[in-house]
Amino acid sequence: MDNERMKKVPVREQDPKLRAHNFEEVCLGYNKEEAVKEASRCLHCKKPMCVSKCPVSIDIPEFIEHIKNEEFEEAAKVIAKSSALPAVCGRVCPQESQCEGKCVLGIKGEAVSIGKLERFVADFSRENNVDLSEKQPSNGKKVAVIGSGPSGLTCAGDLAKLGYDVTIFEALHEAGGVLVYGIPEFRLPKETVVKHEVENVKKLGVKIETNVIIGRTVTIDELVNEEGFDAVFIGSGAGLPKFMGIPGENLNGVFSANEFLTRNNLMKAFKEDYDTPIKAGKKVAVVGGGNVAMDAARTALRLGAEVHIVYRRSESELPARAEEVHHAKEEGIIFDLLTNPVEIIGDENGWVKGMKCVKMELGEPDASGRRRPVEIAGSEFVMEVDTVIMSLGTSPNPLISSTTKGLEINKRKCIVAQEETGLTSREGVYAGGDAVTGAATVILAMGAGKKAANAIHQYLSE
């Protein structure tokens, strides 16, 4: 196998020194020539393992073949059969552990950049107004979808293609769920990318009602019994933040990553002319090591702060994508590893002025398979910070489960649903994504929405 085929076509990015001070997209993607060259690396395996690891089962070899032949519109149509959010997935999906992780070329060289090729096709489709709204005639049946995040949009889009009358109910004032409130502009542009993909779902006939809080504005029982919906899909996500339970977490200057990112991403707090300012502080500690922690840290950096990631394990245990860690380091974020906060210290006015921490060392593996961090005696020290952002994961808001008769939840407050179908303990009510699994990835939520759409179709076709 020739050496050229073993190496990816490099993807262009904004210079780290420049991008650390703006909210423009970091990754610039492939141009036409780069995409065709990268697509030409694909071996078109007889048994493509990449497809088996794609949660929405995109025919990856087929769309890549179309790119190689410069048939970009055809490539877009292939992806559209399986995915409603290709421009989103091409940017934020962890391909390295899914489709690209199974690419044969990755054994001795570098896997095909499937995600960057998907992004190229989606961007081409948007820029050239490719029509992807093909669907079956109406079958007269109504489905309610709760939440307009990745699982809800996917479920709604798939059902609309099959002829269902679908209405999405969204609690916030803008559709997109975590795509608009959770992921920063420099990773996922809202106006060009997210809004366009939401519009594509609406072109299939899906109606989206915003500012509707299920459990307050209307209940699931009312949707079924009074508004005539034949089935319901719950894709309400997991937006309830977790905290450590240490002293000082109620001080001014302590945020959950969810609040910090929502105020910046959805409410545009980073823009001087918006009425939703946020105090980032001069020195920020972000507690946690996942993708959300990287997003919060990189956002705070762009607001002018010196930013520290404080994580109790070592770098090899960081749960964030390697690409996100690499970008954070390039931009100048400081990693304080094997470090754990034990108290947040406030000044006389109730504002954060420091964080007491202890140093850790790794012991035996815990239930997750990662080595358990153990406190080193006598290692206490104080880190001077004026803002602390807690990024320790999220859980589902219990509002829906507490207002819906017969809906079973588990000890983590997640809705109990069958893995293959999304069926809950209530007949005709399905659920998927973070509302079922707890916080996970966009593409896994999409996969759950897709499975539920298939199950709802079978249920309503009986």
Side-chain angles (χ1 to χ4, degrees):
M1 201 177 289
D2 60 89
N3 286 334
E4 191 169 329
R5 184 162 229 167
M6 301 305 289
K7 288 270 188 189
K8 289 182 179 184
V9 174
V11 67
R12 290 163 292 118
E13 294 179 344
Q14 254 202 91
D15 182 273
K17 290 190 176 105
L18 291 176
R19 72 182 192 235
H21 303 286
N22 67 55
F23 280 83
E24 292 164 23
E25 195 167 10
V26 168
C27 179
L28 304 177
Y30 285 145
N31 61 28
K32 176 180 159 183
E33 291 72 27
E34 291 164 341
V36 171
K37 186 177 179 183
E38 181 63 18
S40 301
R41 296 178 61 229
C42 180
L43 298 173
H44 299 283
C45 310
K46 287 184 179 177
K47 290 184 179 178
M49 295 300 292
C50 55
V51 177
S52 70
K53 285 293 284 184
C54 174
V56 294
S57 302
I58 293 171
D59 191 335
I60 293 166
E62 187 181 355
F63 95 74
I64 289 179
E65 180 72 12
H66 283 305
I67 296 174
K68 187 175 86 170
N69 297 329
E70 299 189 26
E71 298 161 350
F72 306 132
E73 188 168 328
E74 292 307 310
K77 289 177 179 176
V78 170
I79 296 173
K81 290 176 186 175
S82 304
S83 175
L85 305 170
V88 169
C89 287
R91 286 166 166 84
V92 303
C93 184
Q95 292 94 4
E96 67 279 359
S97 61
Q98 293 176 160
C99 54
E100 292 179 19
K102 285 292 182 180
C103 177
V104 172
L105 280 176
I107 297 171
K108 292 186 177 179
E110 294 179 344
V112 174
S113 290
I114 298 167
K116 298 296 188 289
L117 291 175
E118 181 181 19
R119 168 189 166 147
F120 167 79
V121 170
D123 289 352
F124 173 90
S125 170
R126 180 184 70 250
E127 290 158 7
N128 292 275
N129 298 312
V130 176
D131 184 9
L132 303 170
S133 59
E134 188 178 327
K135 63 175 185 172
Q136 294 178 20
S138 171
N139 58 28
K141 291 178 180 174
K142 289 172 63 178
V143 179
V145 171
I146 300 168
S148 64
S151 62
L153 289 171
T154 299
C155 185
D158 281 12
L159 288 169
K161 288 176 188 174
L162 293 167
Y164 291 90
D165 178 354
V166 184
T167 303
I168 295 176
F169 297 97
E170 169 55 50
L172 296 174
H173 62 280
E174 208 168 298
V178 71
L179 305 176
V180 292
Y181 75 72
I183 303 174
E185 193 77 17
F186 53 81
R187 280 216 296 137
L188 186 63
K190 309 300 172 244
E191 290 293 326
T192 51
V193 174
V194 178
K195 283 191 176 178
H196 177 79
E197 302 220 312
V198 170
E199 284 302 314
N200 277 348
V201 172
K202 289 167 76 173
K203 283 177 184 174
L204 292 166
V206 174
K207 299 180 283 293
I208 301 179
E209 293 188 22
T210 55
N211 299 308
V212 177
I213 301 172
I214 301 298
R216 284 286 182 270
T217 315
V218 65
T219 65
I220 287 177
D221 296 302
E222 288 168 343
L223 290 175
V224 173
N225 298 328
E226 297 175 21
E227 299 198 21
F229 285 97
D230 300 293
V232 177
F233 173 72
I234 304 169
S236 50
L240 196 63
K242 296 176 183 175
F243 287 86
M244 292 185 73
I246 60 176
E249 282 185 317
N250 60 346
L251 287 166
N252 294 317
V254 180
F255 297 93
S256 70
N258 242 34
E259 179 191 353
F260 186 78
L261 289 170
T262 299
R263 287 176 66 171
N264 277 285
N265 300 334
L266 182 65
M267 301 165 74
K268 305 292 189 289
F270 66 89
K271 292 189 174 181
E272 290 182 8
D273 56 342
Y274 271 64
D275 294 330
T276 54
I278 193 163
K279 181 180 180 289
K282 293 179 180 177
K283 190 171 178 181
V284 175
V286 178
V287 182
N291 290 325
V292 176
M294 300 305 144
D295 285 345
R298 296 172 69 198
T299 298
L301 181 83
R302 284 159 171 76
L303 294 173
E306 175 189 308
V307 184
H308 294 246
I309 291 274
V310 179
Y311 181 61
R312 64 187 187 140
R313 289 183 164 98
S314 69
E315 184 167 345
S316 59
E317 282 86 26
L318 280 167
R321 291 179 71 189
E323 181 181 2
E324 300 308 317
V325 175
H326 170 68
H327 282 155
K329 284 183 173 180
E330 276 191 329
E331 291 167 6
I333 284 165
I334 300 156
F335 283 71
D336 291 306
L337 303 170
L338 291 168
T339 303
N340 200 40
V342 292
E343 182 184 352
I344 302 168
I345 303 163
D347 64 18
E348 63 278 6
N349 297 314
W351 286 88
V352 172
K353 71 172 185 179
M355 189 166 70
K356 188 184 290 184
C357 301
V358 291
K359 298 302 290 182
M360 313 293 283
E361 59 185 356
L362 295 179
E364 295 301 310
D366 61 14
S368 71
R370 294 180 298 174
R371 292 172 66 193
R372 185 188 299 276
V374 180
E375 184 178 323
I376 298 172
S379 64
E380 278 192 4
F381 69 99
V382 174
M383 180 185 291
E384 289 185 12
V385 293
D386 48 18
T387 302
V388 176
I389 300 171
M390 291 290 182
S391 182
L392 307 167
T394 53
S395 59
N397 190 311
L399 180 60
I400 290 174
S401 57
S402 66
T403 57
T404 306
K405 292 174 187 170
L407 192 64
E408 186 184 349
I409 59 171
N410 62 24
K411 62 184 180 183
R412 296 186 298 133
K413 309 294 184 189
C414 296
I415 297 168
V416 175
Q418 293 177 10
E419 187 177 345
E420 287 306 310
T421 64
L423 180 62
T424 69
S425 52
R426 277 280 302 266
E427 183 184 353
V429 177
Y430 297 75
D434 291 3
V436 170
T437 61
T441 62
V442 167
I443 190 66
L444 289 176
M446 289 175 63
K450 196 167 199 62
K451 285 179 183 176
N454 289 334
I456 290 168
H457 179 50
Q458 288 181 2
Y459 168 67
L460 294 179
S461 300
E462 289 173 356

Short mmCIF file of all heavy atoms in Angstrom, two decimals, residues 39-89:
data_model
loop_
_atom_site.label_atom_id
_atom_site.label_comp_id
_atom_site.label_asym_id
_atom_site.label_seq_id
_atom_site.Cartn_x
_atom_site.Cartn_y
_atom_site.Cartn_z
N ALA A 39 -11.26 11.33 -0.09
CA ALA A 39 -12.22 10.27 -0.44
C ALA A 39 -11.55 9.17 -1.25
O ALA A 39 -11.92 7.99 -1.15
CB ALA A 39 -13.40 10.86 -1.21
N SER A 40 -10.54 9.54 -2.03
CA SER A 40 -9.83 8.56 -2.88
C SER A 40 -9.01 7.57 -2.06
O SER A 40 -8.55 6.56 -2.59
CB SER A 40 -8.94 9.29 -3.88
OG SER A 40 -9.71 10.15 -4.70
N ARG A 41 -8.81 7.85 -0.78
CA ARG A 41 -8.06 6.93 0.09
C ARG A 41 -8.90 5.72 0.51
O ARG A 41 -8.37 4.70 0.91
CB ARG A 41 -7.59 7.65 1.36
CG ARG A 41 -6.60 8.77 1.13
CD ARG A 41 -6.23 9.44 2.46
NE ARG A 41 -5.61 8.48 3.36
CZ ARG A 41 -5.96 8.29 4.64
NH1 ARG A 41 -6.94 9.01 5.17
NH2 ARG A 41 -5.35 7.40 5.38
N CYS A 42 -10.24 5.84 0.45
CA CYS A 42 -11.13 4.79 0.95
C CYS A 42 -10.92 3.50 0.16
O CYS A 42 -10.85 3.50 -1.07
CB CYS A 42 -12.58 5.25 0.84
SG CYS A 42 -13.77 4.04 1.42
N LEU A 43 -10.84 2.37 0.88
CA LEU A 43 -10.61 1.07 0.26
C LEU A 43 -11.90 0.39 -0.19
O LEU A 43 -11.85 -0.63 -0.88
CB LEU A 43 -9.89 0.14 1.27
CG LEU A 43 -8.51 0.59 1.73
CD1 LEU A 43 -8.01 -0.33 2.84
CD2 LEU A 43 -7.53 0.61 0.57
N HIS A 44 -13.04 0.92 0.19
CA HIS A 44 -14.35 0.33 -0.15
C HIS A 44 -14.39 -1.15 0.20
O HIS A 44 -14.62 -2.02 -0.64
CB HIS A 44 -14.69 0.58 -1.63
CG HIS A 44 -14.78 2.02 -1.95
ND1 HIS A 44 -15.85 2.81 -1.62
CD2 HIS A 44 -13.87 2.86 -2.51
CE1 HIS A 44 -15.62 4.05 -1.98
NE2 HIS A 44 -14.43 4.11 -2.52
N CYS A 45 -14.19 -1.43 1.45
CA CYS A 45 -14.15 -2.81 1.96
C CYS A 45 -15.47 -3.54 1.66
O CYS A 45 -16.54 -2.94 1.67
CB CYS A 45 -13.94 -2.81 3.47
SG CYS A 45 -12.55 -1.79 4.02
N LYS A 46 -15.37 -4.85 1.43
CA LYS A 46 -16.57 -5.65 1.18
C LYS A 46 -17.46 -5.70 2.41
O LYS A 46 -18.69 -5.72 2.31
CB LYS A 46 -16.19 -7.06 0.75
CG LYS A 46 -15.63 -7.12 -0.67
CD LYS A 46 -15.36 -8.54 -1.10
CE LYS A 46 -14.82 -8.57 -2.53
NZ LYS A 46 -14.49 -9.95 -2.96
N LYS A 47 -16.83 -5.75 3.58
CA LYS A 47 -17.58 -5.70 4.84
C LYS A 47 -17.13 -4.45 5.61
O LYS A 47 -16.22 -4.53 6.44
CB LYS A 47 -17.32 -6.96 5.67
CG LYS A 47 -17.94 -8.21 5.08
CD LYS A 47 -17.74 -9.40 6.01
CE LYS A 47 -18.39 -10.65 5.43
NZ LYS A 47 -18.15 -11.83 6.30
N PRO A 48 -17.73 -3.31 5.30
CA PRO A 48 -17.26 -2.05 5.91
C PRO A 48 -17.58 -1.96 7.40
O PRO A 48 -18.73 -1.75 7.80
CB PRO A 48 -18.01 -0.97 5.11
CG PRO A 48 -19.22 -1.66 4.58
CD PRO A 48 -18.86 -3.10 4.39
N MET A 49 -16.55 -2.10 8.23
CA MET A 49 -16.74 -2.05 9.68
C MET A 49 -17.12 -0.64 10.14
O MET A 49 -17.73 -0.46 11.19
CB MET A 49 -15.46 -2.49 10.39
CG MET A 49 -15.10 -3.95 10.15
SD MET A 49 -16.41 -5.07 10.70
CE MET A 49 -16.32 -4.83 12.48
N CYS A 50 -16.76 0.38 9.33
CA CYS A 50 -17.11 1.76 9.69
C CYS A 50 -18.62 1.92 9.84
O CYS A 50 -19.10 2.59 10.75
CB CYS A 50 -16.56 2.74 8.65
SG CYS A 50 -17.07 2.39 6.95
N VAL A 51 -19.39 1.27 8.95
CA VAL A 51 -20.85 1.39 8.98
C VAL A 51 -21.40 0.76 10.26
O VAL A 51 -22.32 1.28 10.89
CB VAL A 51 -21.49 0.75 7.74
CG1 VAL A 51 -23.02 0.81 7.82
CG2 VAL A 51 -21.01 1.45 6.47
N SER A 52 -20.81 -0.38 10.65
CA SER A 52 -21.30 -1.09 11.84
C SER A 52 -21.12 -0.26 13.11
O SER A 52 -21.84 -0.47 14.09
CB SER A 52 -20.58 -2.43 11.99
OG SER A 52 -19.23 -2.24 12.35
N LYS A 53 -20.18 0.67 13.10
CA LYS A 53 -19.93 1.49 14.29
C LYS A 53 -20.59 2.87 14.21
O LYS A 53 -20.41 3.69 15.10
CB LYS A 53 -18.42 1.66 14.50
CG LYS A 53 -17.75 0.43 15.06
CD LYS A 53 -18.19 0.11 16.48
CE LYS A 53 -17.57 1.05 17.50
NZ LYS A 53 -17.93 0.68 18.88
N CYS A 54 -21.37 3.11 13.16
CA CYS A 54 -22.10 4.39 13.05
C CYS A 54 -23.46 4.22 13.71
O CYS A 54 -24.27 3.39 13.25
CB CYS A 54 -22.27 4.78 11.58
SG CYS A 54 -23.31 6.25 11.36
N PRO A 55 -23.78 4.97 14.76
CA PRO A 55 -25.06 4.80 15.46
C PRO A 55 -26.29 5.05 14.60
O PRO A 55 -27.38 4.60 14.95
CB PRO A 55 -24.97 5.81 16.60
CG PRO A 55 -23.51 5.95 16.87
CD PRO A 55 -22.87 5.88 15.50
N VAL A 56 -26.13 5.78 13.48
CA VAL A 56 -27.29 5.99 12.60
C VAL A 56 -27.13 5.24 11.27
O VAL A 56 -27.91 5.43 10.34
CB VAL A 56 -27.56 7.50 12.35
CG1 VAL A 56 -27.99 8.17 13.64
CG2 VAL A 56 -26.36 8.20 11.75
N SER A 57 -26.12 4.39 11.17
CA SER A 57 -25.93 3.47 10.04
C SER A 57 -25.87 4.15 8.67
O SER A 57 -26.50 3.71 7.70
CB SER A 57 -27.05 2.40 10.03
OG SER A 57 -27.05 1.70 11.24
N ILE A 58 -25.11 5.23 8.57
CA ILE A 58 -24.89 5.87 7.27
C ILE A 58 -24.11 4.92 6.36
O ILE A 58 -23.20 4.22 6.81
CB ILE A 58 -24.11 7.18 7.44
CG1 ILE A 58 -24.95 8.21 8.21
CG2 ILE A 58 -23.65 7.77 6.10
CD1 ILE A 58 -24.20 9.46 8.62
N ASP A 59 -24.48 4.86 5.08
CA ASP A 59 -23.73 4.06 4.10
C ASP A 59 -22.46 4.84 3.76
O ASP A 59 -22.40 5.58 2.77
CB ASP A 59 -24.58 3.79 2.86
CG ASP A 59 -23.93 2.75 1.94
OD1 ASP A 59 -22.68 2.60 1.99
OD2 ASP A 59 -24.65 2.09 1.17
N ILE A 60 -21.45 4.67 4.58
CA ILE A 60 -20.23 5.48 4.47
C ILE A 60 -19.48 5.25 3.16
O ILE A 60 -19.13 6.21 2.47
CB ILE A 60 -19.34 5.25 5.71
CG1 ILE A 60 -20.05 5.81 6.96
CG2 ILE A 60 -17.97 5.91 5.55
CD1 ILE A 60 -19.45 5.36 8.28
N PRO A 61 -19.22 3.99 2.77
CA PRO A 61 -18.50 3.80 1.50
C PRO A 61 -19.21 4.40 0.30
O PRO A 61 -18.57 4.93 -0.62
CB PRO A 61 -18.40 2.27 1.38
CG PRO A 61 -18.52 1.78 2.78
CD PRO A 61 -19.47 2.72 3.45
N GLU A 62 -20.55 4.35 0.30
CA GLU A 62 -21.30 4.88 -0.85
C GLU A 62 -21.18 6.39 -0.94
O GLU A 62 -20.91 6.95 -2.01
CB GLU A 62 -22.78 4.49 -0.77
CG GLU A 62 -23.53 4.88 -2.05
CD GLU A 62 -25.01 4.54 -2.01
OE1 GLU A 62 -25.47 3.92 -1.04
OE2 GLU A 62 -25.71 4.94 -2.97
N PHE A 63 -21.34 7.10 0.19
CA PHE A 63 -21.25 8.56 0.08
C PHE A 63 -19.82 9.00 -0.23
O PHE A 63 -19.60 9.99 -0.95
CB PHE A 63 -21.88 9.26 1.31
CG PHE A 63 -20.95 9.65 2.44
CD1 PHE A 63 -20.10 10.74 2.32
CD2 PHE A 63 -20.98 8.98 3.65
CE1 PHE A 63 -19.27 11.13 3.37
CE2 PHE A 63 -20.16 9.36 4.71
CZ PHE A 63 -19.30 10.44 4.56
N ILE A 64 -18.83 8.25 0.28
CA ILE A 64 -17.44 8.60 -0.03
C ILE A 64 -17.12 8.35 -1.51
O ILE A 64 -16.40 9.14 -2.13
CB ILE A 64 -16.48 7.81 0.90
CG1 ILE A 64 -16.59 8.37 2.34
CG2 ILE A 64 -15.04 7.91 0.42
CD1 ILE A 64 -15.72 7.66 3.36
N GLU A 65 -17.68 7.29 -2.07
CA GLU A 65 -17.49 7.01 -3.51
C GLU A 65 -18.03 8.17 -4.35
O GLU A 65 -17.41 8.59 -5.34
CB GLU A 65 -18.18 5.70 -3.88
CG GLU A 65 -18.06 5.31 -5.35
CD GLU A 65 -16.66 4.85 -5.75
OE1 GLU A 65 -15.82 4.60 -4.87
OE2 GLU A 65 -16.41 4.76 -6.97
N HIS A 66 -19.19 8.69 -3.95
CA HIS A 66 -19.76 9.84 -4.68
C HIS A 66 -18.86 11.06 -4.58
O HIS A 66 -18.71 11.81 -5.55
CB HIS A 66 -21.16 10.17 -4.14
CG HIS A 66 -22.23 9.23 -4.61
ND1 HIS A 66 -22.48 8.98 -5.95
CD2 HIS A 66 -23.13 8.48 -3.91
CE1 HIS A 66 -23.48 8.13 -6.07
NE2 HIS A 66 -23.90 7.81 -4.85
N ILE A 67 -18.24 11.28 -3.41
CA ILE A 67 -17.31 12.40 -3.29
C ILE A 67 -16.12 12.20 -4.23
O ILE A 67 -15.70 13.14 -4.93
CB ILE A 67 -16.80 12.55 -1.83
CG1 ILE A 67 -17.96 12.88 -0.88
CG2 ILE A 67 -15.74 13.66 -1.74
CD1 ILE A 67 -17.56 12.89 0.59
N LYS A 68 -15.59 10.99 -4.24
CA LYS A 68 -14.44 10.69 -5.10
C LYS A 68 -14.76 11.02 -6.56
O LYS A 68 -13.90 11.52 -7.30
CB LYS A 68 -14.05 9.21 -4.96
CG LYS A 68 -12.77 8.84 -5.69
CD LYS A 68 -12.36 7.41 -5.41
CE LYS A 68 -13.05 6.48 -6.38
NZ LYS A 68 -12.50 5.10 -6.30
N ASN A 69 -16.00 10.76 -6.97
CA ASN A 69 -16.43 11.02 -8.34
C ASN A 69 -16.99 12.43 -8.53
O ASN A 69 -17.57 12.72 -9.58
CB ASN A 69 -17.50 9.99 -8.75
CG ASN A 69 -16.96 8.57 -8.74
OD1 ASN A 69 -15.78 8.36 -9.00
ND2 ASN A 69 -17.81 7.60 -8.44
N GLU A 70 -16.83 13.27 -7.50
CA GLU A 70 -17.31 14.66 -7.51
C GLU A 70 -18.83 14.76 -7.69
O GLU A 70 -19.35 15.72 -8.25
CB GLU A 70 -16.58 15.49 -8.58
CG GLU A 70 -15.07 15.54 -8.33
CD GLU A 70 -14.34 16.53 -9.24
OE1 GLU A 70 -14.99 17.50 -9.70
OE2 GLU A 70 -13.13 16.32 -9.47
N GLU A 71 -19.53 13.76 -7.18
CA GLU A 71 -21.01 13.74 -7.22
C GLU A 71 -21.51 14.13 -5.82
O GLU A 71 -22.04 13.32 -5.07
CB GLU A 71 -21.50 12.34 -7.61
CG GLU A 71 -21.04 11.91 -8.99
CD GLU A 71 -21.11 10.41 -9.23
OE1 GLU A 71 -21.33 9.64 -8.27
OE2 GLU A 71 -20.91 10.00 -10.39
N PHE A 72 -21.33 15.40 -5.50
CA PHE A 72 -21.55 15.85 -4.12
C PHE A 72 -23.03 15.85 -3.73
O PHE A 72 -23.39 15.55 -2.59
CB PHE A 72 -20.94 17.24 -3.92
CG PHE A 72 -19.48 17.31 -4.30
CD1 PHE A 72 -19.00 18.34 -5.11
CD2 PHE A 72 -18.59 16.32 -3.89
CE1 PHE A 72 -17.67 18.40 -5.48
CE2 PHE A 72 -17.24 16.37 -4.25
CZ PHE A 72 -16.78 17.41 -5.05
N GLU A 73 -23.91 16.17 -4.70
CA GLU A 73 -25.34 16.16 -4.40
C GLU A 73 -25.82 14.74 -4.11
O GLU A 73 -26.62 14.50 -3.20
CB GLU A 73 -26.12 16.76 -5.58
CG GLU A 73 -27.59 16.94 -5.27
CD GLU A 73 -28.32 17.79 -6.31
OE1 GLU A 73 -27.70 18.70 -6.89
OE2 GLU A 73 -29.52 17.54 -6.51
N GLU A 74 -25.30 13.78 -4.87
CA GLU A 74 -25.66 12.38 -4.63
C GLU A 74 -25.15 11.92 -3.26
O GLU A 74 -25.83 11.17 -2.55
CB GLU A 74 -25.07 11.49 -5.73
CG GLU A 74 -25.69 11.70 -7.11
CD GLU A 74 -27.20 11.60 -7.08
OE1 GLU A 74 -27.72 10.61 -6.53
OE2 GLU A 74 -27.88 12.52 -7.58
N ALA A 75 -23.95 12.38 -2.91
CA ALA A 75 -23.41 12.03 -1.59
C ALA A 75 -24.32 12.56 -0.48
O ALA A 75 -24.58 11.87 0.52
CB ALA A 75 -22.00 12.62 -1.43
N ALA A 76 -24.83 13.78 -0.66
CA ALA A 76 -25.73 14.38 0.34
C ALA A 76 -27.01 13.57 0.47
O ALA A 76 -27.52 13.38 1.60
CB ALA A 76 -26.05 15.82 -0.05
N LYS A 77 -27.51 13.07 -0.63
CA LYS A 77 -28.76 12.28 -0.60
C LYS A 77 -28.55 10.94 0.10
O LYS A 77 -29.45 10.44 0.78
CB LYS A 77 -29.29 12.10 -2.01
CG LYS A 77 -29.85 13.40 -2.59
CD LYS A 77 -30.31 13.25 -4.02
CE LYS A 77 -30.89 14.59 -4.53
NZ LYS A 77 -31.26 14.54 -5.96
N VAL A 78 -27.37 10.36 -0.08
CA VAL A 78 -27.06 9.09 0.61
C VAL A 78 -27.06 9.32 2.12
O VAL A 78 -27.67 8.56 2.88
CB VAL A 78 -25.69 8.52 0.15
CG1 VAL A 78 -25.26 7.36 1.05
CG2 VAL A 78 -25.77 8.06 -1.30
N ILE A 79 -26.38 10.38 2.57
CA ILE A 79 -26.32 10.67 4.01
C ILE A 79 -27.70 10.99 4.55
O ILE A 79 -28.07 10.56 5.65
CB ILE A 79 -25.34 11.83 4.28
CG1 ILE A 79 -23.91 11.45 3.88
CG2 ILE A 79 -25.38 12.23 5.76
CD1 ILE A 79 -22.91 12.59 3.95
N ALA A 80 -28.51 11.74 3.78
CA ALA A 80 -29.83 12.18 4.24
C ALA A 80 -30.77 11.00 4.50
O ALA A 80 -31.71 11.13 5.29
CB ALA A 80 -30.46 13.12 3.21
N LYS A 81 -30.51 9.85 3.87
CA LYS A 81 -31.34 8.66 4.14
C LYS A 81 -31.22 8.22 5.60
O LYS A 81 -32.14 7.62 6.15
CB LYS A 81 -30.92 7.51 3.22
CG LYS A 81 -31.26 7.70 1.76
CD LYS A 81 -30.69 6.54 0.94
CE LYS A 81 -30.88 6.76 -0.55
NZ LYS A 81 -30.22 5.70 -1.35
N SER A 82 -30.08 8.52 6.21
CA SER A 82 -29.81 8.03 7.56
C SER A 82 -29.69 9.11 8.61
O SER A 82 -29.91 8.86 9.80
CB SER A 82 -28.50 7.21 7.57
OG SER A 82 -28.57 6.16 6.63
N SER A 83 -29.30 10.32 8.21
CA SER A 83 -29.00 11.37 9.19
C SER A 83 -29.66 12.69 8.84
O SER A 83 -29.57 13.15 7.70
CB SER A 83 -27.48 11.58 9.29
OG SER A 83 -27.19 12.67 10.14
N ALA A 84 -30.29 13.30 9.86
CA ALA A 84 -30.89 14.62 9.68
C ALA A 84 -29.92 15.75 10.02
O ALA A 84 -30.20 16.91 9.75
CB ALA A 84 -32.13 14.75 10.57
N LEU A 85 -28.75 15.39 10.59
CA LEU A 85 -27.84 16.42 11.10
C LEU A 85 -26.39 16.18 10.66
O LEU A 85 -25.47 16.14 11.48
CB LEU A 85 -27.90 16.45 12.63
CG LEU A 85 -29.27 16.63 13.29
CD1 LEU A 85 -29.18 16.40 14.79
CD2 LEU A 85 -29.82 18.02 12.99
N PRO A 86 -26.13 16.07 9.36
CA PRO A 86 -24.77 15.75 8.92
C PRO A 86 -23.74 16.85 9.19
O PRO A 86 -22.59 16.54 9.51
CB PRO A 86 -24.93 15.52 7.42
CG PRO A 86 -26.16 16.27 7.03
CD PRO A 86 -27.07 16.16 8.22
N ALA A 87 -24.12 18.11 9.07
CA ALA A 87 -23.16 19.19 9.33
C ALA A 87 -22.81 19.28 10.80
O ALA A 87 -21.70 19.66 11.16
CB ALA A 87 -23.72 20.54 8.85
N VAL A 88 -23.76 18.91 11.66
CA VAL A 88 -23.50 18.85 13.10
C VAL A 88 -22.57 17.68 13.41
O VAL A 88 -21.52 17.83 14.05
CB VAL A 88 -24.81 18.71 13.90
CG1 VAL A 88 -24.53 18.38 15.37
CG2 VAL A 88 -25.64 19.99 13.80
N CYS A 89 -22.94 16.48 12.92
CA CYS A 89 -22.14 15.29 13.23
C CYS A 89 -20.73 15.40 12.66
O CYS A 89 -19.77 14.95 13.28
CB CYS A 89 -22.81 14.04 12.65
SG CYS A 89 -24.27 13.59 13.58
#
